[in-house]
Amino acid sequence: MFCEQCEQTASGQGCHQWGACGKGPDVNAVQDLLIYCLRGIAPVALKAKELGIDTHAVDVFCCESMFATMTNVNFNRKRFYSYIREAIAQREKLKTEIQQMSDRPISWSVAATYQPDWTDSLVAQGEEVSRNFIADSSQDIDIFSLKLTVLYGLKGLASYSFHAQELGQEDDRIYSFCHQALAALEEPSLGLEDWVNLAMKVGEMNLLAMELLDAGHTNHYGHPIPTVVPLNAKAGKAILVSGHDIKQLEAILQQTANTGINVYTHGELLPAHGYPVLKQKYPHLYGHYGTAWQNQTKDFAKFPGAIVITTNCLMPPHEHYEDKLFTLGPVGYPDINYLEDRANLTPDFSPAIHKALALAGFAEDEPPRQVKTGFARNAVLNVSDQVIEAVKQGKIRHFFLVGGCDGAKPDRNYYTEFVDQVPSDCVVLTLACGKFRFFDKEMGEIGNIPRLMDVGQCNDAYSAIQIALGLAQAFDIGVNELPLSMILSWYEQKAVAVLLTLLYLGIKDIRLGPTLPAFISPNVFAILSAKYNLQAITTPEADLAACLK
């Protein structure tokens, strides 16, 4: 196998025998085969759009299936067989409709005519596809690097689009671009500058996808408000909901109403407590349990109720808790309970509810502990006058956005140490699961302004961007002139998409870690560094000094 799409890839170079995430070479191969099939759908979908043929089913399918190939989403080889079958069926259906509107035969690319040999190993066919992709690009390592950057950014874009579509927010520009970018992977004539521009286009489209997702969340659940969230359990039956999908969290809340079950969030669902509609309608949305995704094997083993994984990040589960674990949507693992979507895209959660009622639940209330979340764009920008005044008076010297993905590597302690050393006249904004390195740290306030503010999920990167742009407008300066430094951690492909969005917006001086992406060649990084001053983290002390000089 060959996979280098996440930060924890083996030796910082690529996983070749087994994925650091727990993905086996067989699953990696069929994921590669699925991506090849999506590359074959792309020119067909674009032609159909040109002719006015409805491609919505194909568009949504492509986003969901790309999402399934992301790190720590789906480990179930058989699910990918189903995705591949559907990809071929969707492609051929569109081709038939296109041909009916043409008076002469249409010539398609090799990828668009590919048919898997269902009598032979799809794993072997996926391995061959992967070898061919590498061989076709081996003449220019920088173009290969950018192809991978575009592909991985597309996966992140697809995941945001998937969530937005669930909430009724779609834009055909995103779907069309996904097909265009996938089709470009088949185009040998594109040069280095073309690929750099395409990577920036991923960032542009991802900004639109995040805006749609933000609208979906705020239209349904209201703008987040600063909210105290219990970290201590209370006596009673319990369900733990992990991942990012707030729509599915609400469905669980609806189906557990009046059952006596308390619903807890885990991982990236902590910010759900900040949405006022959820808190008002569902008083049994009680608190948050556990920390970041990589600690779930410990957290899940101790949780005395059912556990539902709505999106990434899923760790290969341990046998002693897998019977109480449920997945849905694009998430899967062999022999784990899977909740099928119904016609309205909402699963029936009764198996998880019955499991929660059968399990012991928490025997007693734990000592109170709490954190605050809900400092999204409206909450921060509504007090922008206080923020500006505090900066003008010298009470706030600098803002740090310290956020992104968490992971298991020891060198991620950098982010904890960095926040520990942030001076008392500085404010830390954070988002995504990287915050679990310091989310319960008591940092006090500057006036009425908290020194540590949780903006939300990685899905809420749009909110953080709007805060930066809003403050720049209020100060009447460019965003790069703000007393703001971005100290980002990355792990998977959504982080790639967000980084490309920040670069598309022209944001400079980003510090990225804990290591640089293995798929970014030295020359490509040099290009990005020269244009945007993108740089690797060093030490907390040196980076703080550089940001504050």
Side-chain angles (χ1 to χ4, degrees):
M1 67 180 287
F2 171 74
C3 183
E4 56 178 4
Q5 68 177 0
C6 83
E7 191 274 333
Q8 292 187 174
T9 190
S11 304
Q13 297 178 341
C15 295
H16 299 283
Q17 296 182 334
W18 199 270
C21 62
K23 176 176 64 175
D26 57 341
V27 174
N28 184 74
V30 292
Q31 287 182 353
D32 287 345
L33 186 59
L34 172 59
I35 292 296
Y36 183 68
C37 292
L38 298 182
R39 287 158 54 189
I41 285 178
V44 180
L46 291 171
K47 182 64 176 178
K49 288 177 183 293
E50 180 186 319
L51 295 173
I53 296 171
D54 182 9
T55 63
H56 185 257
V58 169
D59 297 336
V60 174
F61 167 76
C62 286
C63 285
E64 177 185 341
S65 53
M66 270 199 286
F67 188 4
T69 69
M70 280 176 44
T71 304
N72 289 92
V73 177
N74 200 310
F75 299 81
N76 190 342
R77 185 180 70 241
K78 291 181 181 179
R79 285 283 302 281
F80 287 103
Y81 292 169
S82 298
Y83 277 130
I84 290 167
R85 284 189 183 276
E86 184 171 353
I88 300 300
Q90 294 263 21
R91 186 195 72 196
E92 293 306 302
K93 180 176 180 293
L94 273 187
K95 284 165 70 174
T96 298
E97 293 181 53
I98 292 168
Q99 191 60 63
Q100 289 171 349
M101 298 180 67
S102 177
D103 56 3
R104 63 175 185 268
I106 296 174
S107 177
W108 297 107
S109 67
V110 173
T113 57
Y114 171 74
Q115 287 284 353
D117 182 352
W118 298 105
T119 67
D120 203 354
S121 168
L122 292 185
V123 172
Q125 292 169 69
E127 290 171 345
E128 182 180 6
V129 161
S130 180
R131 286 193 297 269
N132 290 341
F133 182 55
I134 295 169
D136 290 345
S137 307
S138 61
Q139 299 302 312
D140 193 318
I141 190 63
D142 296 326
I143 286 181
F144 184 53
S145 170
L146 286 163
K147 281 185 175 182
L148 293 177
T149 303
V150 167
L151 176 58
Y152 300 154
L154 274 180
K155 292 186 179 188
L157 167 59
S159 72
Y160 289 132
S161 300
F162 173 84
H163 287 306
Q165 181 269 334
E166 278 189 314
L167 294 164
Q169 297 289 325
E170 298 177 89
D171 193 311
D172 192 61
R173 288 176 292 176
I174 294 173
Y175 294 139
S176 294
F177 173 73
C178 286
H179 296 308
Q180 290 162 7
L182 285 168
L185 295 172
E186 303 292 312
E187 179 52 65
S189 64
L190 297 181
L192 188 66
E193 186 176 353
D194 297 317
W195 282 105
V196 171
N197 291 338
L198 192 57
M200 293 304 104
K201 190 70 176 178
V202 174
E204 179 185 357
M205 288 296 105
N206 190 60
L207 178 63
L208 175 56
M210 290 193 299
E211 181 181 7
L212 292 172
L213 181 55
D214 179 86
H217 284 152
T218 56
N219 289 346
H220 280 80
Y221 311 117
H223 283 277
I225 57 176
T227 302
V228 173
V229 183
L231 295 179
N232 56 291
K234 72 174 181 178
K237 304 291 185 177
I239 283 181
L240 185 64
V241 189
S242 189
H244 305 74
D245 199 315
I246 293 176
K247 178 179 171 61
Q248 300 297 358
L249 170 63
E250 185 186 24
I252 293 170
L253 290 167
Q254 289 172 341
Q255 295 180 38
T256 52
N258 303 314
T259 62
I261 295 173
N262 295 315
V263 175
Y264 295 77
T265 56
H266 177 268
E268 288 264 47
L269 278 172
L270 167 63
H273 293 271
Y275 287 103
V277 171
L278 290 180
K279 296 298 286 186
Q280 291 161 11
K281 289 179 67 175
Y282 307 107
H284 60 302
L285 174 58
Y286 168 66
H288 188 79
Y289 184 91
T291 54
W293 67 272
Q294 76 275 5
N295 299 322
Q296 68 183 242
T297 52
K298 177 178 66 176
D299 293 340
F300 290 179
K302 293 179 180 179
F303 189 77
I307 302 161
V308 180
I309 305 283
T310 64
T311 62
N312 62 319
C313 299
L314 170 66
M315 294 275 286
H318 290 182
E319 290 182 0
H320 53 281
Y321 66 76
E322 63 181 16
D323 66 318
K324 63 182 180 181
L325 188 64
F326 298 81
T327 67
L328 56 92
V331 188
Y333 198 87
D335 302 321
I336 295 298
N337 304 301
Y338 183 73
L339 303 170
E340 294 281 355
D341 290 349
R342 298 183 296 193
N344 61 357
L345 300 181
T346 301
D348 176 4
F349 289 101
S350 57
I353 293 169
H354 293 154
K355 175 61 72 172
L357 292 172
L359 292 170
F362 289 99
E364 58 185 8
D365 293 351
E366 294 179 346
R369 294 187 303 127
Q370 62 187 34
V371 292
K372 257 191 175 182
T373 190
F375 294 96
R377 57 189 175 93
N378 261 32
V380 175
L381 294 178
N382 281 344
V383 295
S384 61
D385 55 340
Q386 298 176 41
V387 173
I388 293 166
E389 190 60 28
V391 173
K392 288 180 177 178
Q393 293 179 4
K395 295 179 180 178
I396 296 179
R397 177 169 37 149
H398 205 82
F399 297 88
F400 293 95
L401 176 60
V402 185
C405 312
D406 202 4
K409 283 185 176 179
D411 49 3
R412 288 180 180 268
N413 290 333
Y414 164 96
Y415 297 94
T416 311
E417 296 167 8
F418 187 97
V419 172
D420 283 342
Q421 296 177 40
V422 167
S424 59
D425 58 355
C426 299
V427 171
V428 175
L429 301 169
T430 189
L431 77 164
C433 61
K435 64 172 162 274
F436 288 111
R437 293 275 166 175
F438 49 80
F439 80 126
D440 55 354
K441 179 179 174 61
E442 288 291 339
M443 295 184 66
E445 297 181 340
I446 299 175
N448 294 321
I449 302 166
R451 289 191 56 235
L452 177 61
M453 291 188 274
D454 177 13
V455 177
Q457 303 178 327
C458 63
N459 292 4
D460 296 313
Y462 176 80
S463 201
I465 289 168
Q466 293 307 307
I467 290 171
L469 296 177
L471 291 175
Q473 183 178 11
F475 278 108
D476 194 25
I477 57 177
V479 69
N480 289 312
E481 300 172 81
L482 283 172
L484 168 68
S485 297
M486 295 192 180
I487 316 295
L488 305 183
S489 54
W490 82 283
Y491 178 75
E492 40 89 315
Q493 295 78 65
K494 283 187 286 186
V496 177
V498 172
L499 177 62
L500 293 175
T501 294
L502 295 174
L503 298 181
Y504 160 73
L505 290 169
I507 295 175
K508 297 183 177 181
D509 301 317
I510 296 169
R511 285 172 165 79
L512 181 65
T515 59
L516 295 178
F519 54 84
I520 298 287
S521 68
N523 188 46
V524 169
F525 186 77
I527 292 170
L528 298 177
S529 182
K531 186 170 183 179
Y532 303 104
N533 200 28
L534 179 65
Q535 53 198 290
I537 60 170
T538 58
T539 66
E541 296 80 5
D543 290 343
L544 265 172
C547 293
L548 293 172
K549 68 180 181 181

